[in-house]
Amino acid sequence: LQLALYDGYDVMFKKQIGPHTGKAEDFKSYDELWNAFKTQLEYIIDVKMRGNLVIERIYSQMMPAPFLSICTDDCIKKGKDYNAGGARYNTSYIQGVGIGTISDALSSIKFNVFDNQKFTMKELIDAMNDDFKGHEDILNLVKNKTPKYGNDDNYVDQYALDITEWTERECRKYKMLYSTLSHGTLSISNNTPIGELTNATPNGRLAWMPLSDGI
């Protein structure tokens, strides 16, 4: 989403890392933002999967796991190591960290910018760039007056559904070495270091703070 809001530009590292999808302040509808977000995510997934294929090849050729292999069904039968496709069931997946943060962020934009015109996209971007300092009115609206994920509110829960369904369909397009790609939303503890690389977000989360935890 951060890339979609800044035309593919990484504001933390000051470099263009995603495709150009337009500046957020020029979006006339939520659908334009959603399409920009999907374009950025599609690009990032592709980059990630190219890297994952390299890693899978390295593991299969240079990092055998003999003890794990003898404990895993079919590795002995096939005469193949666990990391070389010997297991009966092989999985490849990526984790979408911060499902609560992204759902709340999209809810904030849709609810405040497009549905109720509480502020403009440019005003929101300016507030995020300033880490909401001097923009306490906007911060109060996005933190306290906007539908939040996890409260059985379809207005915002729909975004979590849209993202997970779309991402799963996108991942299923990829064939890894031994399986079809899938995805999950398990953060483990990655929401903290990833948050340290993420600017302030539209839901009022401040820069460098953890993304949402959870599964």
Side-chain angles (χ1 to χ4, degrees), residues 3 17-18 39-49:
L3 293 177
I17 66 170
T39 298
Q40 296 292 344
L41 186 54
E42 182 180 23
Y43 174 77
I44 292 299
I45 290 173
D46 186 68
V47 171
K48 169 71 173 166
M49 288 310 99

Side-chain angles (χ1 to χ4, degrees), residues 169-185:
R169 287 195 298 269
E170 190 65 25
C171 287
R172 290 298 178 108
K173 297 177 183 178
Y174 289 85
K175 183 71 173 67
M176 308 306 287
L177 290 187
Y178 309 112
S179 65
T180 300
L181 182 68
S182 185
H183 97 292
T185 57

Side-chain angles (χ1 to χ4, degrees), residues 109-127:
I109 294 172
K110 179 73 158 51
F111 185 83
N112 292 296
V113 175
F114 295 113
D115 287 357
N116 297 295
Q117 291 84 48
K118 298 288 186 179
F119 44 76
T120 66
M121 184 71 84
K122 185 179 186 308
E123 289 173 327
L124 176 60
I125 296 295
D126 288 343

Side-chain angles (χ1 to χ4, degrees), residues 1 30 82 94 172:
L1 179 62
Y30 173 79
Y82 175 89
I94 57 175
R172 290 298 178 108

Side-chain angles (χ1 to χ4, degrees), residues 133-163:
K133 293 181 177 66
H135 305 271
E136 285 73 18
D137 53 340
I138 292 179
L139 180 62
N140 179 56
L141 286 172
V142 298
K143 286 193 72 173
N144 304 314
K145 306 293 183 180
T146 301
K148 298 289 184 181
Y149 176 71
N151 292 291
D152 196 25
D153 185 339
N154 287 337
Y155 185 94
V156 58
D157 291 351
Q158 183 63 45
Y159 300 121
L161 181 63
D162 290 344
I163 291 167

